[in-house]
Amino acid sequence: MQWADCYYRWPQFEEYSVEKNWASIIEAIGEDLNRPGLVDTPKRAAKAFEFLTRGYHQSVEEVVNNALFPSDSSEMVLVQDIELYSLCEHHLLPFIGKCHVAYIPTGQVLGLSKVARIVDVFARRLQIQESLTTQIAETIMEVTGAEGVGVIIEARHMCMMMRGVEKQNSVMKTSAMLGSFRKSQVTREEFLQLLRLST
């Protein structure tokens, strides 16, 4: 699949249907939908869920919008501490953290804001962190034609903090290394050293 087609072609978000289902869930837990604080909650929840999963209705082609620029640079480009908000596909609870993206260009560079937008396209879907990390790396690689790409995500998961084992200080870290980032220890070390220098 070409990066321009990296798009979930789902049916249009059916807000009314989602609203009805939220109403059913709220009633099922024993609440009164006629209570003043809850009268409009199903509608608000449907709108919030549409926003939180808007990545299903975005394509990489749309967010990149041809923002690739000629460059003679062959040195590492690093965008660090990109805020990340996603929903765990197992419990529909948030995981929140930051994403670090680096790549080595080969004749063209990607507009700075587009790196963050690509992160959001995939984060704003039901996800597991492992898959999200790989999707971002593969897309940056394909979009830029880079020599290599490295992506690291650090996140806290509400499904582990609010329920289950209820561990408040755990942080999950995942990485995806492609091209020269996978083949060359020197390149990986440069990436990790740049991250350490910035903390």
Side-chain angles (χ1 to χ4, degrees), residues 5 15 21 71 77 88 108 118 140 156 163 181 195:
D5 297 321
E15 186 176 303
N21 282 290
S71 174
V77 176
C88 165
Q108 58 182 2
I118 287 172
I140 295 288
R156 296 182 181 273
R163 57 165 298 283
F181 282 73
L195 289 178

Side-chain angles (χ1 to χ4, degrees), residues 110-126:
L110 182 61
L112 179 60
S113 69
K114 305 306 180 183
V115 177
R117 292 186 186 279
I118 287 172
V119 171
D120 276 349
V121 165
F122 294 102
R124 295 298 191 170
R125 300 175 182 181
L126 305 185

Side-chain angles (χ1 to χ4, degrees), residues 1 3 7-8 12 15 19 29 47 81 86 94 96 103-104 109 111 117 119 127 129-130 139 144 161 165 167 187:
M1 180 168 60
W3 68 268
Y7 179 63
Y8 279 91
Q12 186 62 34
E15 186 176 303
E19 181 182 335
I29 64 172
K47 286 183 177 295
D81 294 338
S86 193
I96 299 167
Y103 68 98
I104 297 178
V109 293
R117 292 186 186 279
V119 171
Q127 281 286 10
Q129 185 174 325
E130 298 91 333
T139 301
T144 62
M161 297 169 69
V165 293
K167 299 302 180 188
T187 303

Side-chain angles (χ1 to χ4, degrees), residues 1-198:
M1 180 168 60
Q2 296 297 310
W3 68 268
D5 297 321
C6 198
Y7 179 63
Y8 279 91
R9 301 186 184 279
W10 276 31
Q12 186 62 34
F13 188 90
E14 296 182 15
E15 186 176 303
Y16 181 64
S17 174
V18 175
E19 181 182 335
K20 286 194 302 181
N21 282 290
W22 274 117
S24 297
I25 291 169
I26 291 168
E27 285 185 321
I29 64 172
E31 265 290 2
D32 178 8
L33 280 171
N34 294 313
R35 186 161 67 78
L38 291 176
V39 169
D40 292 322
T41 295
K43 182 183 294 185
R44 287 191 296 261
K47 286 183 177 295
F49 202 70
E50 179 179 13
F51 181 81
L52 294 174
T53 59
R54 69 185 186 275
Y56 286 116
H57 304 289
Q58 294 177 315
S59 70
V60 172
E61 183 179 33
E62 287 170 347
V63 301
V64 170
N65 196 26
N66 296 315
L68 287 161
F69 306 103
S71 174
D72 294 329
S73 173
S74 59
E75 300 300 323
M76 189 177 297
V77 176
L78 170 64
V79 186
Q80 184 174 348
D81 294 338
I82 301 167
E83 294 100 336
L84 180 147
Y85 307 92
S86 193
L87 289 174
C88 165
E89 66 184 38
H90 299 146
H91 300 99
L92 302 187
L93 289 172
F95 62 95
I96 299 167
K98 53 190 178 181
C99 181
H100 316 298
V101 178
Y103 68 98
I104 297 178
T106 54
Q108 58 182 2
V109 293
L110 182 61
L112 179 60
S113 69
K114 305 306 180 183
V115 177
R117 292 186 186 279
I118 287 172
V119 171
D120 276 349
V121 165
F122 294 102
R124 295 298 191 170
R125 300 175 182 181
L126 305 185
Q127 281 286 10
I128 60 172
Q129 185 174 325
E130 298 91 333
S131 296
L132 175 59
T133 310
T134 301
Q135 289 165 1
I136 294 167
E138 289 178 345
T139 301
I140 295 288
M141 187 83 162
E142 202 165 352
V143 167
T144 62
E147 176 189 304
V149 173
V151 174
I152 293 175
I153 293 178
E154 307 171 67
R156 296 182 181 273
H157 291 247
M158 296 302 112
C159 60
M160 192 169 179
M161 297 169 69
M162 295 175 66
R163 57 165 298 283
V165 293
E166 297 184 272
K167 299 302 180 188
Q168 305 307 306
N169 298 310
S170 60
V171 178
M172 183 176 183
K173 298 185 180 184
T174 49
S175 69
M177 305 289 173
L178 304 179
S180 57
F181 282 73
R182 177 179 288 272
K183 296 172 187 173
S184 168
Q185 183 176 348
V186 172
T187 303
R188 284 196 306 277
E189 284 296 327
E190 181 183 352
F191 177 31
L192 297 173
Q193 182 62 28
L194 285 171
L195 289 178
R196 284 194 289 268
L197 287 172
S198 301

